[in-house]
Amino acid sequence: MLLDAAIELGAERPLAAIPVDDIVREAGVAKGTFYVHFADRSAFMVELHTRFELEMRRAVAAAVEGLSPGRDRLLTGARASLDACAAQSATKSLLLEARADPSIANAIARRNEAFAQDSTDDFAVLGVADPDVAARLFVAMVAEAALVEIELGRTDERVRSALGSFVTNTE
Amino acid sequence: MLLDAAIELGAERPLAAIPVDDIVREAGVAKGTFYVHFADRSAFMVELHTRFELEMRRAVAAAVEGLSPGRDRLLTGARASLDACAAQSATKSLLLEARADPSIANAIARRNEAFAQDSTDDFAVLGVADPDVAARLFVAMVAEAALVEIELGRTDERVRSALGSFVTNTE
DNA sequence: TGTACATCAGTGAACGCGCGTTCACTGATGTAC
DNA sequence: TGTACATCAGTGAACGCGCGTTCACTGATGTAC
């Protein structure tokens, strides 16, 4: 499948630097096939990021299912994110490129608002002054944590508890 | 000047998407002139990011001059970073693209280690378990804060104090 | 069961264009005598 | 002071190639009768 092929190649180099030629070769189909399934390269890239984003959401939602807002839910969600990132070979490219390309950034960012609401609720319960801003900063920190783990080549408890050290336990 | 011209254009669209043609037109020089000063486009981009990075370092160093490691120095440095980012029209592009392009990322990342030592010292004083990891996560958070301010179109005290809310005062 | 036709994912050669890079040339400035 | 020559930043037309996109064609599958 074309999307899977791109993810495969995206483990080695930036997704943005992978030509359609390479993607179809990896997928074992002809070049024209690419355009049977996608309007253009840009639509393909958006689809790639959309899949990743939905996967992350699903993983987090499943992990925090039933937990009430607060520190524990926040950090449980963060750990689930890191697990999902670790399971995805092109995570680094996906995280670093998602916002650099405006067409992708627009397509994704718009949908993320509802998702971000969860962490905002967590910070609200923690009594933070501006929970929406705090949530956004925290998400950036989790993404960075994912990149650290990728560089280490494994999940790392030190990284994960470092995340926790930024969130004071007030409960 | 070519670097300034690129920064100018980088306020509107990703630096990576700006052709050499546009840069020289903005600078008011011929295309060949570009290659009189830079070996190739990649060297130019690295230089662009290097300038930004040095500017940030200088701003932070000046701001924390004389302060001893700890929460206050950490947050003072963060605020100085945000001020420097706000003063730079292409900050968004610079922050988002620096790590997506491997050739730039390599050139920059190597030099940043010494710089990161300062924040690591701050976290060490704060008694955090893994100060180096915490420092790295914090830097990511500051970068995100800069992006928030760019979207707002102005500096914002709420964003800045949100950064502080992640760092418990233990002094 | 067999024949004719429609549909459509898939094909891959060819196209074209954007863009980075080159290079022979210019003209201003500096140096030698 | 004037002439010849060297240097070198700057020029811009031309090149070439990588890469996204197109399109006429194929062949397998489904449907009608």
Side-chain angles (χ1 to χ4, degrees), chain A residues 1 4 10 36 61 81 154 158:
Chain A
M1 210 260 220
D4 296 324
V36 170
S81 298
R154 53 176 171 76
R158 290 164 59 254

Side-chain angles (χ1 to χ4, degrees), chain B residues 29-30 32-33 36-37:
Chain B
V29 298
T33 308
V36 171
H37 296 287

Side-chain angles (χ1 to χ4, degrees), chain A residues 1-165:
Chain A
M1 210 260 220
L2 288 163
L3 292 166
D4 296 324
I7 291 295
E8 190 68 29
L9 297 174
E12 307 295 337
R13 46 189 168 137
L15 289 164
I18 301 172
V20 173
D21 290 80
D22 289 12
I23 297 168
V24 296
R25 190 183 321 118
E26 174 76 19
V29 298
K31 208 170 177 182
T33 308
F34 185 92
Y35 293 90
V36 170
H37 297 286
F38 302 94
D40 53 27
R41 184 178 214 282
S42 175
F44 178 80
M45 297 302 284
V46 168
E47 187 61 29
L48 212 49
H49 283 83
T50 299
R51 276 216 315 181
F52 177 62
E53 182 213 345
L54 293 178
E55 205 172 303
M56 293 287 291
R57 280 201 212 183
R58 200 195 39 67
V60 171
V64 304
E65 170 88 48
L67 297 181
S68 52
R71 185 172 190 271
D72 183 46
R73 188 177 79 165
L74 181 72
L75 296 178
T76 299
R79 278 166 189 271
S81 298
L82 293 181
D83 288 335
C85 282
Q88 168 67 273
S89 69
T91 296
K92 185 177 177 184
S93 293
L94 289 162
L95 288 178
L96 293 177
E97 295 170 38
R99 302 163 73 194
D101 179 340
S103 66
I104 297 171
N106 289 339
I108 303 276
R110 206 152 298 170
R111 279 194 303 263
N112 271 344
E113 282 155 35
F115 182 53
Q117 189 58 48
D118 272 5
S119 341
T120 300
D121 291 344
D122 295 326
F123 280 104
V125 166
L126 288 168
V128 169
D130 293 290
D132 54 335
V133 177
R136 179 158 171 190
L137 298 182
F138 185 74
V139 167
M141 212 160 46
V142 174
E144 187 69 25
L147 292 171
V148 174
E149 288 197 341
I150 285 167
E151 283 167 27
L152 290 172
R154 53 176 171 76
T155 61
D156 186 318
E157 187 49 36
R158 290 164 59 254
V159 174
R160 296 177 179 212
S161 53
L163 278 176
S165 74

